[in-house]
PDB file of all heavy atoms in Angstrom:
ATOM      1  N   TRP A   1       0.879  -1.180   0.007  1.00  0.00           N
ATOM      2  CA  TRP A   1       0.013   0.008  -0.020  1.00  0.00           C
ATOM      3  C   TRP A   1       0.902   1.236  -0.007  1.00  0.00           C
ATOM      4  O   TRP A   1       1.890   1.278   0.686  1.00  0.00           O
ATOM      5  CB  TRP A   1      -0.886  -0.012   1.256  1.00  0.00           C
ATOM      6  CG  TRP A   1      -2.049   0.952   1.245  1.00  0.00           C
ATOM      7  CD1 TRP A   1      -2.139   2.106   1.855  1.00  0.00           C
ATOM      8  CD2 TRP A   1      -3.270   0.750   0.558  1.00  0.00           C
ATOM      9  NE1 TRP A   1      -3.349   2.721   1.590  1.00  0.00           N
ATOM     10  CE2 TRP A   1      -4.095   1.871   0.814  1.00  0.00           C
ATOM     11  CE3 TRP A   1      -3.797  -0.260  -0.263  1.00  0.00           C
ATOM     12  CZ2 TRP A   1      -5.354   2.034   0.275  1.00  0.00           C
ATOM     13  CZ3 TRP A   1      -5.083  -0.149  -0.759  1.00  0.00           C
ATOM     14  CH2 TRP A   1      -5.865   1.009  -0.485  1.00  0.00           C
ATOM     15  N   PRO A   2       0.525   2.312  -0.741  1.00  0.00           N
ATOM     16  CA  PRO A   2       1.380   3.502  -0.762  1.00  0.00           C
ATOM     17  C   PRO A   2       1.565   4.079   0.635  1.00  0.00           C
ATOM     18  O   PRO A   2       0.630   4.136   1.457  1.00  0.00           O
ATOM     19  CB  PRO A   2       0.611   4.431  -1.643  1.00  0.00           C
ATOM     20  CG  PRO A   2      -0.226   3.597  -2.542  1.00  0.00           C
ATOM     21  CD  PRO A   2      -0.656   2.415  -1.629  1.00  0.00           C
ATOM     22  N   LEU A   3       2.765   4.528   0.927  1.00  0.00           N
ATOM     23  CA  LEU A   3       3.047   5.114   2.255  1.00  0.00           C
ATOM     24  C   LEU A   3       2.443   6.504   2.395  1.00  0.00           C
ATOM     25  O   LEU A   3       2.122   6.953   3.488  1.00  0.00           O
ATOM     26  CB  LEU A   3       4.572   5.159   2.456  1.00  0.00           C
ATOM     27  CG  LEU A   3       5.298   3.837   2.512  1.00  0.00           C
ATOM     28  CD1 LEU A   3       6.803   4.057   2.750  1.00  0.00           C
ATOM     29  CD2 LEU A   3       4.700   2.910   3.546  1.00  0.00           C
ATOM     30  N   GLU A   4       2.299   7.206   1.278  1.00  0.00           N
ATOM     31  CA  GLU A   4       1.712   8.545   1.304  1.00  0.00           C
ATOM     32  C   GLU A   4       0.587   8.575   0.251  1.00  0.00           C
ATOM     33  O   GLU A   4       0.682   7.942  -0.783  1.00  0.00           O
ATOM     34  CB  GLU A   4       2.779   9.649   0.942  1.00  0.00           C
ATOM     35  CG  GLU A   4       3.887   9.672   1.995  1.00  0.00           C
ATOM     36  CD  GLU A   4       3.443  10.158   3.318  1.00  0.00           C
ATOM     37  OE1 GLU A   4       2.368  10.810   3.401  1.00  0.00           O
ATOM     38  OE2 GLU A   4       4.122   9.936   4.344  1.00  0.00           O
ATOM     39  N   PRO A   5      -0.495   9.344   0.561  1.00  0.00           N
ATOM     40  CA  PRO A   5      -0.748  10.090   1.762  1.00  0.00           C
ATOM     41  C   PRO A   5      -1.053   9.223   2.959  1.00  0.00           C
ATOM     42  O   PRO A   5      -1.223   7.981   2.799  1.00  0.00           O
ATOM     43  CB  PRO A   5      -1.966  10.942   1.372  1.00  0.00           C
ATOM     44  CG  PRO A   5      -2.724  10.110   0.371  1.00  0.00           C
ATOM     45  CD  PRO A   5      -1.621   9.393  -0.404  1.00  0.00           C
ATOM     46  N   ALA A   6      -1.106   9.796   4.122  1.00  0.00           N
ATOM     47  CA  ALA A   6      -1.303   8.991   5.358  1.00  0.00           C
ATOM     48  C   ALA A   6      -2.619   8.232   5.299  1.00  0.00           C
ATOM     49  O   ALA A   6      -2.742   7.088   5.786  1.00  0.00           O
ATOM     50  CB  ALA A   6      -1.266   9.932   6.568  1.00  0.00           C
ATOM     51  N   PHE A   7      -3.670   8.829   4.729  1.00  0.00           N
ATOM     52  CA  PHE A   7      -4.999   8.165   4.619  1.00  0.00           C
ATOM     53  C   PHE A   7      -5.393   8.273   3.158  1.00  0.00           C
ATOM     54  O   PHE A   7      -5.697   9.327   2.639  1.00  0.00           O
ATOM     55  CB  PHE A   7      -6.019   8.859   5.498  1.00  0.00           C
ATOM     56  CG  PHE A   7      -7.329   8.124   5.510  1.00  0.00           C
ATOM     57  CD1 PHE A   7      -7.507   7.039   6.390  1.00  0.00           C
ATOM     58  CD2 PHE A   7      -8.384   8.525   4.701  1.00  0.00           C
ATOM     59  CE1 PHE A   7      -8.756   6.378   6.394  1.00  0.00           C
ATOM     60  CE2 PHE A   7      -9.605   7.838   4.714  1.00  0.00           C
ATOM     61  CZ  PHE A   7      -9.772   6.781   5.576  1.00  0.00           C
ATOM     62  N   LEU A   8      -5.326   7.120   2.528  1.00  0.00           N
ATOM     63  CA  LEU A   8      -5.593   7.048   1.076  1.00  0.00           C
ATOM     64  C   LEU A   8      -6.936   6.388   0.750  1.00  0.00           C
ATOM     65  O   LEU A   8      -7.200   5.308   1.224  1.00  0.00           O
ATOM     66  CB  LEU A   8      -4.474   6.304   0.356  1.00  0.00           C
ATOM     67  CG  LEU A   8      -4.650   5.997  -1.119  1.00  0.00           C
ATOM     68  CD1 LEU A   8      -4.672   7.260  -1.949  1.00  0.00           C
ATOM     69  CD2 LEU A   8      -3.584   5.070  -1.608  1.00  0.00           C
ATOM     70  N   VAL A   9      -7.725   7.064  -0.051  1.00  0.00           N
ATOM     71  CA  VAL A   9      -8.935   6.454  -0.586  1.00  0.00           C
ATOM     72  C   VAL A   9      -8.744   6.290  -2.092  1.00  0.00           C
ATOM     73  O   VAL A   9      -8.709   7.270  -2.851  1.00  0.00           O
ATOM     74  CB  VAL A   9     -10.192   7.338  -0.318  1.00  0.00           C
ATOM     75  CG1 VAL A   9     -11.463   6.660  -0.922  1.00  0.00           C
ATOM     76  CG2 VAL A   9     -10.390   7.553   1.176  1.00  0.00           C
ATOM     77  N   PRO A  10      -8.570   5.067  -2.585  1.00  0.00           N
ATOM     78  CA  PRO A  10      -8.268   4.858  -4.018  1.00  0.00           C
ATOM     79  C   PRO A  10      -9.430   5.335  -4.917  1.00  0.00           C
ATOM     80  O   PRO A  10     -10.593   5.419  -4.497  1.00  0.00           O
ATOM     81  CB  PRO A  10      -8.153   3.340  -4.147  1.00  0.00           C
ATOM     82  CG  PRO A  10      -7.794   2.878  -2.733  1.00  0.00           C
ATOM     83  CD  PRO A  10      -8.554   3.815  -1.846  1.00  0.00           C
ATOM     84  N   ASP A  11      -9.070   5.717  -6.106  1.00  0.00           N
ATOM     85  CA  ASP A  11     -10.043   6.211  -7.056  1.00  0.00           C
ATOM     86  C   ASP A  11     -11.139   5.169  -7.324  1.00  0.00           C
ATOM     87  O   ASP A  11     -12.342   5.494  -7.466  1.00  0.00           O
ATOM     88  CB  ASP A  11      -9.417   6.588  -8.366  1.00  0.00           C
ATOM     89  CG  ASP A  11      -8.541   7.826  -8.254  1.00  0.00           C
ATOM     90  OD1 ASP A  11      -8.783   8.602  -7.302  1.00  0.00           O
ATOM     91  OD2 ASP A  11      -7.621   7.987  -9.090  1.00  0.00           O
ATOM     92  N   GLU A  12     -10.737   3.852  -7.348  1.00  0.00           N
ATOM     93  CA  GLU A  12     -11.750   2.801  -7.577  1.00  0.00           C
ATOM     94  C   GLU A  12     -12.815   2.820  -6.460  1.00  0.00           C
ATOM     95  O   GLU A  12     -14.008   2.577  -6.739  1.00  0.00           O
ATOM     96  CB  GLU A  12     -11.039   1.438  -7.583  1.00  0.00           C
ATOM     97  CG  GLU A  12     -10.070   1.219  -8.751  1.00  0.00           C
ATOM     98  CD  GLU A  12      -8.737   1.770  -8.448  1.00  0.00           C
ATOM     99  OE1 GLU A  12      -8.554   2.444  -7.430  1.00  0.00           O
ATOM    100  OE2 GLU A  12      -7.783   1.448  -9.241  1.00  0.00           O
ATOM    101  N   ALA A  13     -12.384   3.045  -5.234  1.00  0.00           N
ATOM    102  CA  ALA A  13     -13.348   3.083  -4.127  1.00  0.00           C
ATOM    103  C   ALA A  13     -14.244   4.301  -4.236  1.00  0.00           C
ATOM    104  O   ALA A  13     -15.487   4.183  -3.946  1.00  0.00           O
ATOM    105  CB  ALA A  13     -12.600   3.174  -2.790  1.00  0.00           C
ATOM    106  N   ARG A  14     -13.724   5.398  -4.674  1.00  0.00           N
ATOM    107  CA  ARG A  14     -14.583   6.616  -4.844  1.00  0.00           C
ATOM    108  C   ARG A  14     -15.622   6.344  -5.934  1.00  0.00           C
ATOM    109  O   ARG A  14     -16.774   6.741  -5.826  1.00  0.00           O
ATOM    110  CB  ARG A  14     -13.683   7.807  -5.220  1.00  0.00           C
ATOM    111  CG  ARG A  14     -12.744   8.225  -4.120  1.00  0.00           C
ATOM    112  CD  ARG A  14     -11.883   9.444  -4.581  1.00  0.00           C
ATOM    113  NE  ARG A  14     -10.896   9.771  -3.595  1.00  0.00           N
ATOM    114  CZ  ARG A  14     -11.031  10.505  -2.542  1.00  0.00           C
ATOM    115  NH1 ARG A  14     -12.225  11.050  -2.314  1.00  0.00           N
ATOM    116  NH2 ARG A  14     -10.029  10.763  -1.730  1.00  0.00           N
ATOM    117  N   GLN A  15     -15.206   5.650  -6.961  1.00  0.00           N
ATOM    118  CA  GLN A  15     -16.144   5.365  -8.088  1.00  0.00           C
ATOM    119  C   GLN A  15     -17.291   4.438  -7.580  1.00  0.00           C
ATOM    120  O   GLN A  15     -18.438   4.643  -7.946  1.00  0.00           O
ATOM    121  CB  GLN A  15     -15.400   4.796  -9.266  1.00  0.00           C
ATOM    122  CG  GLN A  15     -14.467   5.735  -9.939  1.00  0.00           C
ATOM    123  CD  GLN A  15     -13.601   5.089 -11.017  1.00  0.00           C
ATOM    124  OE1 GLN A  15     -13.728   3.877 -11.269  1.00  0.00           O
ATOM    125  NE2 GLN A  15     -12.629   5.852 -11.554  1.00  0.00           N
ATOM    126  N   GLU A  16     -16.877   3.417  -6.829  1.00  0.00           N
ATOM    127  CA  GLU A  16     -17.897   2.483  -6.282  1.00  0.00           C
ATOM    128  C   GLU A  16     -18.855   3.255  -5.375  1.00  0.00           C
ATOM    129  O   GLU A  16     -20.080   2.958  -5.339  1.00  0.00           O
ATOM    130  CB  GLU A  16     -17.237   1.347  -5.565  1.00  0.00           C
ATOM    131  CG  GLU A  16     -16.604   0.325  -6.457  1.00  0.00           C
ATOM    132  CD  GLU A  16     -17.594  -0.330  -7.358  1.00  0.00           C
ATOM    133  OE1 GLU A  16     -18.719  -0.633  -6.882  1.00  0.00           O
ATOM    134  OE2 GLU A  16     -17.272  -0.531  -8.564  1.00  0.00           O
ATOM    135  N   PHE A  17     -18.362   4.184  -4.578  1.00  0.00           N
ATOM    136  CA  PHE A  17     -19.210   4.990  -3.708  1.00  0.00           C
ATOM    137  C   PHE A  17     -20.250   5.778  -4.495  1.00  0.00           C
ATOM    138  O   PHE A  17     -21.392   5.842  -4.138  1.00  0.00           O
ATOM    139  CB  PHE A  17     -18.342   5.901  -2.866  1.00  0.00           C
ATOM    140  CG  PHE A  17     -19.135   6.734  -1.913  1.00  0.00           C
ATOM    141  CD1 PHE A  17     -19.779   6.200  -0.777  1.00  0.00           C
ATOM    142  CD2 PHE A  17     -19.310   8.114  -2.122  1.00  0.00           C
ATOM    143  CE1 PHE A  17     -20.525   6.969   0.091  1.00  0.00           C
ATOM    144  CE2 PHE A  17     -20.035   8.896  -1.229  1.00  0.00           C
ATOM    145  CZ  PHE A  17     -20.646   8.334  -0.116  1.00  0.00           C
ATOM    146  N   ARG A  18     -19.777   6.393  -5.656  1.00  0.00           N
ATOM    147  CA  ARG A  18     -20.760   7.137  -6.521  1.00  0.00           C
ATOM    148  C   ARG A  18     -21.823   6.161  -6.995  1.00  0.00           C
ATOM    149  O   ARG A  18     -23.020   6.492  -7.090  1.00  0.00           O
ATOM    150  CB  ARG A  18     -19.995   7.783  -7.671  1.00  0.00           C
ATOM    151  CG  ARG A  18     -19.061   8.924  -7.226  1.00  0.00           C
ATOM    152  CD  ARG A  18     -18.572   9.691  -8.441  1.00  0.00           C
ATOM    153  NE  ARG A  18     -17.338  10.385  -8.111  1.00  0.00           N
ATOM    154  CZ  ARG A  18     -16.141   9.961  -8.365  1.00  0.00           C
ATOM    155  NH1 ARG A  18     -15.969   8.809  -9.011  1.00  0.00           N
ATOM    156  NH2 ARG A  18     -15.088  10.705  -8.095  1.00  0.00           N
ATOM    157  N   LYS A  19     -21.436   4.910  -7.409  1.00  0.00           N
ATOM    158  CA  LYS A  19     -22.404   3.982  -7.879  1.00  0.00           C
ATOM    159  C   LYS A  19     -23.416   3.591  -6.805  1.00  0.00           C
ATOM    160  O   LYS A  19     -24.585   3.416  -7.043  1.00  0.00           O
ATOM    161  CB  LYS A  19     -21.706   2.736  -8.432  1.00  0.00           C
ATOM    162  CG  LYS A  19     -20.888   2.966  -9.717  1.00  0.00           C
ATOM    163  CD  LYS A  19     -20.136   1.718 -10.108  1.00  0.00           C
ATOM    164  CE  LYS A  19     -19.219   1.979 -11.247  1.00  0.00           C
ATOM    165  NZ  LYS A  19     -18.434   0.759 -11.642  1.00  0.00           N
ATOM    166  N   ALA A  20     -22.872   3.424  -5.583  1.00  0.00           N
ATOM    167  CA  ALA A  20     -23.730   3.107  -4.449  1.00  0.00           C
ATOM    168  C   ALA A  20     -24.752   4.168  -4.183  1.00  0.00           C
ATOM    169  O   ALA A  20     -25.939   3.867  -3.857  1.00  0.00           O
ATOM    170  CB  ALA A  20     -22.874   2.828  -3.175  1.00  0.00           C
ATOM    171  N   LEU A  21     -24.372   5.428  -4.303  1.00  0.00           N
ATOM    172  CA  LEU A  21     -25.289   6.547  -4.132  1.00  0.00           C
ATOM    173  C   LEU A  21     -26.416   6.440  -5.163  1.00  0.00           C
ATOM    174  O   LEU A  21     -27.593   6.661  -4.816  1.00  0.00           O
ATOM    175  CB  LEU A  21     -24.550   7.882  -4.279  1.00  0.00           C
ATOM    176  CG  LEU A  21     -23.651   8.280  -3.117  1.00  0.00           C
ATOM    177  CD1 LEU A  21     -22.918   9.565  -3.428  1.00  0.00           C
ATOM    178  CD2 LEU A  21     -24.452   8.401  -1.807  1.00  0.00           C
ATOM    179  N   GLU A  22     -26.087   6.150  -6.420  1.00  0.00           N
ATOM    180  CA  GLU A  22     -27.089   6.048  -7.467  1.00  0.00           C
ATOM    181  C   GLU A  22     -28.074   4.895  -7.160  1.00  0.00           C
ATOM    182  O   GLU A  22     -29.261   5.015  -7.395  1.00  0.00           O
ATOM    183  CB  GLU A  22     -26.445   5.883  -8.826  1.00  0.00           C
ATOM    184  CG  GLU A  22     -25.669   7.153  -9.233  1.00  0.00           C
ATOM    185  CD  GLU A  22     -26.540   8.400  -9.289  1.00  0.00           C
ATOM    186  OE1 GLU A  22     -27.679   8.305  -9.780  1.00  0.00           O
ATOM    187  OE2 GLU A  22     -26.045   9.420  -8.830  1.00  0.00           O
ATOM    188  N   ARG A  23     -27.497   3.755  -6.740  1.00  0.00           N
ATOM    189  CA  ARG A  23     -28.383   2.604  -6.366  1.00  0.00           C
ATOM    190  C   ARG A  23     -29.280   3.001  -5.228  1.00  0.00           C
ATOM    191  O   ARG A  23     -30.481   2.635  -5.248  1.00  0.00           O
ATOM    192  CB  ARG A  23     -27.528   1.368  -6.047  1.00  0.00           C
ATOM    193  CG  ARG A  23     -26.778   0.815  -7.219  1.00  0.00           C
ATOM    194  CD  ARG A  23     -26.300  -0.615  -6.897  1.00  0.00           C
ATOM    195  NE  ARG A  23     -25.315  -0.608  -5.812  1.00  0.00           N
ATOM    196  CZ  ARG A  23     -24.006  -0.532  -5.992  1.00  0.00           C
ATOM    197  NH1 ARG A  23     -23.523  -0.432  -7.250  1.00  0.00           N
ATOM    198  NH2 ARG A  23     -23.165  -0.546  -4.967  1.00  0.00           N
ATOM    199  N   GLY A  24     -28.743   3.687  -4.262  1.00  0.00           N
ATOM    200  CA  GLY A  24     -29.551   4.114  -3.131  1.00  0.00           C
ATOM    201  C   GLY A  24     -30.732   5.004  -3.571  1.00  0.00           C
ATOM    202  O   GLY A  24     -31.871   4.865  -3.078  1.00  0.00           O
ATOM    203  N   LYS A  25     -30.450   5.973  -4.468  1.00  0.00           N
ATOM    204  CA  LYS A  25     -31.496   6.844  -4.951  1.00  0.00           C
ATOM    205  C   LYS A  25     -32.614   6.039  -5.699  1.00  0.00           C
ATOM    206  O   LYS A  25     -33.785   6.364  -5.570  1.00  0.00           O
ATOM    207  CB  LYS A  25     -30.886   7.913  -5.895  1.00  0.00           C
ATOM    208  CG  LYS A  25     -30.008   8.895  -5.180  1.00  0.00           C
ATOM    209  CD  LYS A  25     -29.389   9.904  -6.178  1.00  0.00           C
ATOM    210  CE  LYS A  25     -28.497  10.892  -5.471  1.00  0.00           C
ATOM    211  NZ  LYS A  25     -27.828  11.836  -6.406  1.00  0.00           N
ATOM    212  N   ALA A  26     -32.151   5.042  -6.483  1.00  0.00           N
ATOM    213  CA  ALA A  26     -33.118   4.249  -7.191  1.00  0.00           C
ATOM    214  C   ALA A  26     -34.006   3.431  -6.228  1.00  0.00           C
ATOM    215  O   ALA A  26     -35.212   3.322  -6.410  1.00  0.00           O
ATOM    216  CB  ALA A  26     -32.416   3.276  -8.176  1.00  0.00           C
ATOM    217  N   TRP A  27     -33.401   2.862  -5.191  1.00  0.00           N
ATOM    218  CA  TRP A  27     -34.155   2.105  -4.206  1.00  0.00           C
ATOM    219  C   TRP A  27     -35.127   3.018  -3.435  1.00  0.00           C
ATOM    220  O   TRP A  27     -36.255   2.652  -3.152  1.00  0.00           O
ATOM    221  CB  TRP A  27     -33.203   1.390  -3.240  1.00  0.00           C
ATOM    222  CG  TRP A  27     -32.468   0.258  -3.850  1.00  0.00           C
ATOM    223  CD1 TRP A  27     -32.814  -0.461  -4.925  1.00  0.00           C
ATOM    224  CD2 TRP A  27     -31.196  -0.220  -3.438  1.00  0.00           C
ATOM    225  NE1 TRP A  27     -31.868  -1.417  -5.245  1.00  0.00           N
ATOM    226  CE2 TRP A  27     -30.883  -1.298  -4.312  1.00  0.00           C
ATOM    227  CE3 TRP A  27     -30.310   0.096  -2.422  1.00  0.00           C
ATOM    228  CZ2 TRP A  27     -29.718  -2.042  -4.186  1.00  0.00           C
ATOM    229  CZ3 TRP A  27     -29.146  -0.643  -2.269  1.00  0.00           C
ATOM    230  CH2 TRP A  27     -28.855  -1.688  -3.148  1.00  0.00           C
ATOM    231  N   GLU A  28     -34.707   4.249  -3.159  1.00  0.00           N
ATOM    232  CA  GLU A  28     -35.562   5.177  -2.465  1.00  0.00           C
ATOM    233  C   GLU A  28     -36.754   5.569  -3.311  1.00  0.00           C
ATOM    234  O   GLU A  28     -37.912   5.616  -2.826  1.00  0.00           O
ATOM    235  CB  GLU A  28     -34.766   6.435  -2.085  1.00  0.00           C
ATOM    236  CG  GLU A  28     -35.590   7.448  -1.299  1.00  0.00           C
ATOM    237  CD  GLU A  28     -34.809   8.661  -0.882  1.00  0.00           C
ATOM    238  OE1 GLU A  28     -33.660   8.817  -1.350  1.00  0.00           O
ATOM    239  OE2 GLU A  28     -35.347   9.480  -0.101  1.00  0.00           O
ATOM    240  N   ALA A  29     -36.488   5.775  -4.612  1.00  0.00           N
ATOM    241  CA  ALA A  29     -37.626   6.069  -5.505  1.00  0.00           C
ATOM    242  C   ALA A  29     -38.582   4.886  -5.604  1.00  0.00           C
ATOM    243  O   ALA A  29     -39.811   5.101  -5.641  1.00  0.00           O
ATOM    244  CB  ALA A  29     -37.058   6.415  -6.903  1.00  0.00           C
ATOM    245  N   GLU A  30     -38.052   3.681  -5.627  1.00  0.00           N
ATOM    246  CA  GLU A  30     -38.934   2.456  -5.695  1.00  0.00           C
ATOM    247  C   GLU A  30     -39.803   2.409  -4.409  1.00  0.00           C
ATOM    248  O   GLU A  30     -41.010   2.098  -4.484  1.00  0.00           O
ATOM    249  CB  GLU A  30     -38.097   1.258  -5.842  1.00  0.00           C
ATOM    250  CG  GLU A  30     -38.948  -0.042  -5.882  1.00  0.00           C
ATOM    251  CD  GLU A  30     -38.058  -1.303  -5.861  1.00  0.00           C
ATOM    252  OE1 GLU A  30     -36.831  -1.168  -5.917  1.00  0.00           O
ATOM    253  OE2 GLU A  30     -38.630  -2.427  -5.769  1.00  0.00           O
ATOM    254  N   TRP A  31     -39.192   2.674  -3.270  1.00  0.00           N
ATOM    255  CA  TRP A  31     -39.931   2.659  -2.024  1.00  0.00           C
ATOM    256  C   TRP A  31     -41.051   3.696  -2.054  1.00  0.00           C
ATOM    257  O   TRP A  31     -42.202   3.419  -1.604  1.00  0.00           O
ATOM    258  CB  TRP A  31     -38.971   2.900  -0.824  1.00  0.00           C
ATOM    259  CG  TRP A  31     -39.677   3.374   0.404  1.00  0.00           C
ATOM    260  CD1 TRP A  31     -39.747   4.610   0.935  1.00  0.00           C
ATOM    261  CD2 TRP A  31     -40.529   2.569   1.285  1.00  0.00           C
ATOM    262  NE1 TRP A  31     -40.482   4.645   2.033  1.00  0.00           N
ATOM    263  CE2 TRP A  31     -40.953   3.412   2.274  1.00  0.00           C
ATOM    264  CE3 TRP A  31     -40.873   1.214   1.247  1.00  0.00           C
ATOM    265  CZ2 TRP A  31     -41.819   2.958   3.351  1.00  0.00           C
ATOM    266  CZ3 TRP A  31     -41.695   0.770   2.283  1.00  0.00           C
ATOM    267  CH2 TRP A  31     -42.194   1.589   3.258  1.00  0.00           C
ATOM    268  N   GLU A  32     -40.751   4.914  -2.547  1.00  0.00           N
ATOM    269  CA  GLU A  32     -41.741   5.938  -2.551  1.00  0.00           C
ATOM    270  C   GLU A  32     -42.975   5.535  -3.450  1.00  0.00           C
ATOM    271  O   GLU A  32     -44.118   5.817  -3.120  1.00  0.00           O
ATOM    272  CB  GLU A  32     -41.170   7.314  -3.069  1.00  0.00           C
ATOM    273  CG  GLU A  32     -40.117   7.888  -2.111  1.00  0.00           C
ATOM    274  CD  GLU A  32     -40.713   8.316  -0.818  1.00  0.00           C
ATOM    275  OE1 GLU A  32     -41.959   8.484  -0.702  1.00  0.00           O
ATOM    276  OE2 GLU A  32     -39.911   8.536   0.153  1.00  0.00           O
ATOM    277  N   MET A  33     -42.681   4.847  -4.556  1.00  0.00           N
ATOM    278  CA  MET A  33     -43.734   4.397  -5.398  1.00  0.00           C
ATOM    279  C   MET A  33     -44.589   3.331  -4.719  1.00  0.00           C
ATOM    280  O   MET A  33     -45.826   3.353  -4.805  1.00  0.00           O
ATOM    281  CB  MET A  33     -43.136   3.822  -6.713  1.00  0.00           C
ATOM    282  CG  MET A  33     -42.511   4.884  -7.634  1.00  0.00           C
ATOM    283  SD  MET A  33     -41.738   4.124  -9.091  1.00  0.00           S
ATOM    284  CE  MET A  33     -43.169   3.267  -9.866  1.00  0.00           C
ATOM    285  N   ARG A  34     -43.961   2.435  -4.025  1.00  0.00           N
ATOM    286  CA  ARG A  34     -44.653   1.357  -3.286  1.00  0.00           C
ATOM    287  C   ARG A  34     -45.519   1.998  -2.188  1.00  0.00           C
ATOM    288  O   ARG A  34     -46.679   1.512  -1.967  1.00  0.00           O
ATOM    289  CB  ARG A  34     -43.670   0.327  -2.718  1.00  0.00           C
ATOM    290  CG  ARG A  34     -43.000  -0.506  -3.778  1.00  0.00           C
ATOM    291  CD  ARG A  34     -41.882  -1.316  -3.186  1.00  0.00           C
ATOM    292  NE  ARG A  34     -42.311  -2.194  -2.169  1.00  0.00           N
ATOM    293  CZ  ARG A  34     -41.502  -2.927  -1.416  1.00  0.00           C
ATOM    294  NH1 ARG A  34     -40.186  -2.877  -1.588  1.00  0.00           N
ATOM    295  NH2 ARG A  34     -41.952  -3.749  -0.460  1.00  0.00           N
ATOM    296  N   ALA A  35     -44.980   2.956  -1.473  1.00  0.00           N
ATOM    297  CA  ALA A  35     -45.716   3.586  -0.414  1.00  0.00           C
ATOM    298  C   ALA A  35     -46.925   4.371  -0.954  1.00  0.00           C
ATOM    299  O   ALA A  35     -48.004   4.327  -0.353  1.00  0.00           O
ATOM    300  CB  ALA A  35     -44.807   4.534   0.405  1.00  0.00           C
ATOM    301  N   ALA A  36     -46.747   5.014  -2.088  1.00  0.00           N
ATOM    302  CA  ALA A  36     -47.818   5.737  -2.775  1.00  0.00           C
ATOM    303  C   ALA A  36     -48.961   4.794  -3.168  1.00  0.00           C
ATOM    304  O   ALA A  36     -50.160   5.083  -2.992  1.00  0.00           O
ATOM    305  CB  ALA A  36     -47.307   6.566  -3.864  1.00  0.00           C
ATOM    306  N   ALA A  37     -48.578   3.679  -3.766  1.00  0.00           N
ATOM    307  CA  ALA A  37     -49.555   2.682  -4.197  1.00  0.00           C
ATOM    308  C   ALA A  37     -50.290   2.100  -3.010  1.00  0.00           C
ATOM    309  O   ALA A  37     -51.484   1.881  -3.079  1.00  0.00           O
ATOM    310  CB  ALA A  37     -48.853   1.562  -4.978  1.00  0.00           C
ATOM    311  N   TYR A  38     -49.596   1.883  -1.918  1.00  0.00           N
ATOM    312  CA  TYR A  38     -50.220   1.377  -0.686  1.00  0.00           C
ATOM    313  C   TYR A  38     -51.223   2.377  -0.202  1.00  0.00           C
ATOM    314  O   TYR A  38     -52.361   2.032   0.210  1.00  0.00           O
ATOM    315  CB  TYR A  38     -49.145   1.084   0.344  1.00  0.00           C
ATOM    316  CG  TYR A  38     -49.634   0.564   1.679  1.00  0.00           C
ATOM    317  CD1 TYR A  38     -49.694  -0.817   1.906  1.00  0.00           C
ATOM    318  CD2 TYR A  38     -50.026   1.410   2.700  1.00  0.00           C
ATOM    319  CE1 TYR A  38     -50.135  -1.295   3.112  1.00  0.00           C
ATOM    320  CE2 TYR A  38     -50.516   0.960   3.942  1.00  0.00           C
ATOM    321  CZ  TYR A  38     -50.541  -0.414   4.148  1.00  0.00           C
ATOM    322  OH  TYR A  38     -50.975  -0.916   5.322  1.00  0.00           O
TER     323      TYR A  38
END
């Protein structure tokens, strides 16, 4: 693992985090639709 910087967040991890945010938004929208139908 690189010695510097002291706390490293790899670009791959940042990209996965952005994807996770999009999945979360999609799941939230699905929940709102189900709640409205209910």
Side-chain angles (χ1 to χ4, degrees):
W1 195 257
L3 298 181
E4 297 294 339
F7 187 82
L8 172 65
V9 179
D11 290 337
E12 295 87 348
R14 296 179 187 275
Q15 293 172 3
E16 285 299 319
F17 180 71
R18 293 191 202 99
K19 293 176 184 178
L21 287 177
E22 293 303 317
R23 290 196 296 267
K25 291 178 181 178
W27 290 336
E28 183 178 9
E30 180 187 354
W31 160 255
E32 294 294 343
M33 291 177 58
R34 291 170 59 186
Y38 180 94

